Amino acid sequence: MVPHAPRSSEPTTAEADAWADVLVRRQLLHAIVRTPTGQWLAQEHPDATVRLLATPADVLALAATVQHRIRSTRPESR
């Protein structure tokens, strides 16, 4: 796997909101919502513990973890 170049800026709230929407729409997470304080509450499945994500970077880190999990469990298509 080729490492990606580091980001040149911090993730934005809009970017985190977009990833949150994709994760729920694709049913990769049960729920993730932004609170009035600017944090996010995330839940992997209905019976899971709700996690508090404090920053947009935390949301993107969760999205990266989900992507990694999907890719590592998917059979190779080569």
Side-chain angles (χ1 to χ4, degrees):
M1 182 156 78
V2 178
H4 293 279
R7 290 180 62 103
S8 61
S9 63
E10 290 296 312
T12 65
T13 299
E15 187 176 9
D17 283 339
W19 272 109
D21 182 55
V22 167
L23 291 170
V24 172
R25 197 167 3 106
R26 298 284 180 146
Q27 299 179 346
L28 300 169
L29 289 179
H30 173 66
I32 183 167
V33 294
R34 188 161 40 111
T35 68
T37 62
Q39 299 170 320
W40 286 262
L41 299 175
Q43 189 176 31
E44 285 193 45
H45 52 84
D47 298 329
T49 302
V50 175
R51 294 175 50 188
L52 176 66
L53 305 173
T55 67
D58 293 335
V59 176
L60 269 60
L62 177 60
T65 299
V66 170
Q67 286 180 324
H68 179 70
R69 183 177 66 221
I70 291 167
R71 290 180 179 146
S72 66
T73 60
R74 176 172 50 188
E76 289 296 319
S77 59
R78 296 179 201 180

